Amino acid sequence: MNGWVRLALGATTTGAATVAYAAGVERRHWTLREATLPVLAPGSRPLRVLHVSDLHMTPGQRGKQRWVASLDALEPDLVVNTGDNLAHPRAVPAVVAALGPLLERPGVFVFGSNDYFGPTPKNPARYLWKRRPKPPQGEPLPWRDLRAALLEHGWNDMTHRRATLEVAGVSVAAAGVDDPHLGLDRYDRIAGRPAGDPGLRLGLTHSPEPRVLDRFAGDGYDLVMAGHTHGGQLRVPGVGAIVTNCGLDRSRARGSSRWGAHMRLHVSAGLGTSPWAPVRFACPPEATLLLVVPRPVAASSAPATPASATMDVG
């Protein structure tokens, strides 16, 4: 066997092993990340905020359901769900089972594109081109049934809504937009600085599009939470995400970063994948427990400014 044949066989074997790991192991390696964000008003009590996103649930994913339900043991003060819960027309009971005891805690949510429409087969290489055709929409999903279940348990739908919640003794002014990935965001419906002097100004969006983040920053929000990117889903060790599937730069595909002088952004890498692309590599599925603490007194007077040109990853 000559050297070229051995090299080709080795590359094929390595590639097959990588795909097997990404599809059979890592996409089920559910992981809890933890981070501390200094975004509360000085003097506020720290909050434990659980960020859950991109479940992409199908009825048979009982391991994922059990793992998500177990997060209640973390005793979060607030649960934030940033969408893409569904991946099947009969998945609503599975999502409700997964969220289970968490539904008894204060919660806020917005929806993503895959709450409205089912996943469709697509060429994965499509995401490597910046200009790409809009993907076809799949079958309509029962998002209204999911919304009714979440509302019944007392969670707040923040889609184009503003609300002030009392969470563990902290006043939280929350607002959200519909999914920018589908062009459904109408920020003007929630525009303006939150009234009063809340301990936390919290924004929600499924896809972290810069145009939306700039509006939240301009209105003085302290923290915006998003999903959608899957953390890149396939990451190159030492390089990071290859794509984000939105206008966000690759360095922010998951985790927390600064967006301008005042606001923080937290992007969840999510807990699932499309059934048509069931692989993850160097990017395990995740939920995040955020310890939200008071910001330094000097930072509390920093001006809130739109930040596209001044982003500083932290």
Side-chain angles (χ1 to χ4, degrees):
M1 184 182 297
N2 64 41
W4 286 109
V5 173
R6 286 196 298 269
L7 182 61
L9 288 174
T12 300
T13 302
T14 300
T18 299
V19 171
Y21 167 79
V25 178
E26 185 164 324
R27 75 182 180 96
R28 296 186 179 91
H29 184 54
W30 297 294
T31 301
L32 177 69
R33 291 185 179 271
E34 299 185 35
T36 299
L37 294 181
V39 294
L40 291 179
S44 299
R45 173 192 179 278
L47 295 177
R48 294 164 64 83
V49 178
L50 179 65
H51 189 184
V52 176
S53 194
D54 297 85
L55 287 166
H56 292 281
M57 189 72 75
T58 60
Q61 294 178 321
R62 291 183 174 81
K64 186 193 296 184
Q65 294 172 38
R66 289 191 294 269
W67 190 85
V68 174
S70 75
L71 296 173
D72 184 64
L74 300 171
E75 300 184 342
D77 299 307
L78 177 67
V79 183
V80 176
N81 182 313
T82 49
D84 272 12
N85 297 278
L86 304 174
H88 191 281
R90 293 192 298 276
V92 170
V95 173
V96 174
L99 296 175
L102 293 170
L103 292 172
E104 304 307 314
R105 301 187 181 275
V108 291
F109 66 92
V110 291
F111 286 135
S113 59
N114 286 132
D115 291 306
Y116 300 129
F117 301 103
T120 58
K122 55 179 70 77
N123 178 6
R126 184 178 62 88
Y127 292 105
L128 299 178
W129 283 268
K130 189 170 184 179
R131 292 186 177 182
R132 50 186 180 265
K134 188 174 181 179
Q137 293 179 343
E139 62 180 322
L141 294 178
W143 65 271
R144 293 180 181 83
D145 293 344
L146 179 58
R147 180 179 185 271
L150 300 180
L151 293 177
E152 181 180 353
H153 283 83
W155 279 20
N156 294 269
D157 182 0
M158 302 313 305
T159 306
H160 295 144
R161 290 189 62 242
R162 296 166 53 144
T164 299
L165 318 173
E166 193 71 18
V167 178
V170 176
S171 175
V172 178
V177 295
D178 209 343
D179 187 15
H181 185 62
L182 292 180
L184 300 177
D185 53 301
R186 302 292 182 268
Y187 190 90
D188 286 344
R189 298 185 186 179
I190 60 166
R193 190 176 181 88
D197 191 23
L200 175 65
R201 300 175 181 89
L202 175 65
L204 279 69
T205 178
H206 176 64
S207 178
E209 292 292 349
R211 68 174 184 274
V212 174
L213 302 179
D214 281 349
R215 296 293 299 274
F216 276 120
D219 282 341
Y221 281 80
D222 305 303
L223 172 63
V224 171
M225 301 175 72
H228 178 70
T229 66
H230 295 191
Q233 192 163 326
L234 304 175
R235 297 174 67 94
V236 177
V239 175
I242 302 172
V243 294
T244 64
N245 195 24
C246 65
L248 198 68
D249 53 283
R250 294 183 297 107
S251 66
R252 303 172 189 271
R254 69 180 182 189
S256 63
S257 62
R258 294 184 182 274
W259 194 272
H262 179 81
M263 195 176 82
R264 294 270 183 159
L265 168 67
H266 185 266
V267 179
S268 171
L271 282 159
T273 66
S274 166
W276 299 102
V279 294
R280 279 182 176 258
F281 187 76
C283 189
E286 68 175 44
T288 309
L289 182 66
L290 299 174
L291 180 61
V292 180
V293 301
R295 58 185 176 269
V297 175
S300 66
S301 60
T305 57
S308 290
T310 59
M311 293 184 285
D312 176 30
V313 176

